């Protein structure tokens, strides 16, 4: 199935049949939490995303940097204490630069690498994918993955010179991507890209 992409202005209506509008200048209520990583080796963790699992009454944390590029999940309680033991995502041997996570439901999650170049200017195969992860209790398993970098680069709907995705969120069945773009040598701007029906991305798993 065709994946439809649309670059969004700052204020727009999203999705088919959705009346919700979004204004990226609106203030969002936030809660400050001090996160304690003292139980683990901080040398190999750089937190990049967090999601609350209601069934477990805990958060899961991802890192864009792990030892030997292992695909890991960290549990965190509501006090901000991160568990010492990490969980390896089964079926996913290696991943690089995980920058975002979003929740389909308490048992299904999407994880996304940045799709960006590393410091050497390369984009390795482990930086190009979006992953559908399933949860069984405290076990996480790779359900499917797609090369999102290839899909975006081959699309006629966008013309970003470089792609650097810093965040994503589901809005209904549509996937909203937050892309950091270089405006000048020392200035970045944010673009938002809407991918219609995230399930279409995984209609042909790799």
């Amino acid at each position: 199935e065709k994946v439809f992409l649309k670059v969004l202005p700052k204020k727009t209506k999203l999705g088919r049949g959705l009346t919700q509008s979004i204004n990226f200048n609106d203030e969002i209520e936030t809660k400050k939490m001090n996160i304690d990583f003292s139980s683990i080796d901080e040398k190999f963790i750089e937190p990049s995303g967090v999601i609350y699992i209601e069934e477990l009454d805990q958060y899961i944390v991802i890192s864009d940097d792990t030892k030997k590029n292992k695909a890991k999940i960290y549990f965190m309680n509501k006090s901000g204490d991160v568990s010492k033991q990490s969980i390896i995502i089964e079926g996913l041997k290696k991943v690089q630069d995980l920058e975002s996570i979003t929740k389909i439901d308490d048992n299904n999650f999407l994880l996304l690498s940045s799709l960006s170049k590393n410091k050497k200017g390369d984009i390795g195969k482990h930086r190009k994918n979006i992953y559908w992860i399933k949860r069984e209790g405290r076990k996480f398993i790779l359900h499917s993955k797609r090369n999102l970098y290839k899909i975006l680069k081959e699309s006629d709907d966008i013309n970003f010179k470089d792609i650097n995705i810093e965040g994503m969120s589901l809005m209904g069945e549509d996937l909203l991507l937050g892309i950091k773009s270089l405006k000048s040598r020392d200035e970045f701007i944010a673009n938002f890209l809407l991918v219609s029906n995230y399930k279409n991305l995984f209609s042909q798993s790799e």
Side-chain angles (χ1 to χ4, degrees):
E1 295 184 61
K2 182 174 175 60
V3 176
F4 292 95
L5 308 171
K6 182 180 180 182
V7 179
L8 302 179
K10 285 187 176 180
K11 187 172 185 179
T12 185
K13 288 187 176 180
L14 303 175
R16 297 161 300 283
L18 292 180
T19 57
Q20 179 183 11
S21 63
I22 183 168
N23 187 329
F24 297 111
N25 292 323
D26 286 347
E27 290 187 8
I28 300 174
E29 184 178 350
T30 60
K31 178 182 178 181
K32 185 178 180 180
M33 178 185 291
N34 293 319
I35 301 178
D36 183 8
F37 292 100
S38 61
S39 64
I40 59 178
D41 187 349
E42 294 185 51
K43 180 180 179 181
F44 295 108
I45 185 169
E46 188 176 332
S48 56
V50 59
I51 285 289
Y52 176 68
I53 301 179
E54 187 173 359
E55 181 183 322
L56 299 178
D57 195 27
Q58 283 192 312
Y59 296 90
I60 56 173
V61 180
I62 62 168
S63 172
D64 66 7
D65 185 25
T66 60
K67 189 175 182 179
K68 296 183 179 179
N69 296 314
K70 296 289 186 181
K72 294 182 177 182
I73 297 286
Y74 299 87
F75 282 101
M76 181 180 74
N77 62 26
K78 285 186 173 181
S79 298
D81 302 317
V82 179
S83 61
K84 182 177 181 179
Q85 185 176 4
S86 59
I87 307 295
I88 299 292
I89 300 174
E90 297 182 15
L92 185 52
K93 293 182 179 180
K94 191 175 181 179
V95 67
Q96 290 181 322
D97 208 23
L98 275 182
E99 283 291 351
S100 52
I101 181 172
T102 191
K103 182 170 71 171
I104 301 171
D105 55 44
D106 263 9
N107 297 313
N108 292 273
F109 308 87
L110 300 180
L111 274 65
L112 179 60
S113 292
S114 67
L115 283 58
S116 65
K117 297 177 181 177
N118 61 20
K119 294 179 180 179
K120 296 180 180 179
D122 302 322
I123 305 178
K125 64 180 182 178
H126 301 296
R127 299 172 72 94
K128 295 181 176 180
N129 299 315
I130 184 169
Y131 306 93
W132 186 329
I133 306 298
K134 286 186 171 291
R135 181 182 70 88
E136 296 179 2
R138 297 176 71 87
K139 182 167 66 174
F140 294 84
I141 305 164
L142 175 65
H143 173 60
S144 55
K145 68 176 182 178
R146 286 301 307 274
N147 186 330
L148 185 58
Y149 179 84
K150 180 180 179 182
I151 292 173
L152 296 184
K153 278 296 187 181
E154 292 179 350
S155 172
D156 295 327
D157 299 312
I158 61 172
N159 59 356
F160 298 123
K161 182 179 178 181
D162 293 311
I163 299 173
N164 187 357
I165 298 178
E166 294 288 332
M168 66 173 170
S169 180
L170 280 171
M171 307 195 73
E173 292 193 344
D174 296 332
L175 187 63
L176 185 68
L177 304 178
I179 301 176
K180 183 172 74 173
S181 300
L182 184 65
K183 183 178 181 180
S184 61
R185 196 173 78 173
D186 57 355
E187 184 179 2
F188 292 91
I189 58 174
N191 288 288
F192 296 91
L193 181 67
L194 188 69
V195 181
S196 66
N197 197 338
Y198 72 92
K199 294 178 182 177
N200 289 347
L201 287 173
F202 298 95
S203 60
Q204 296 179 348
S205 185
E206 298 169 359

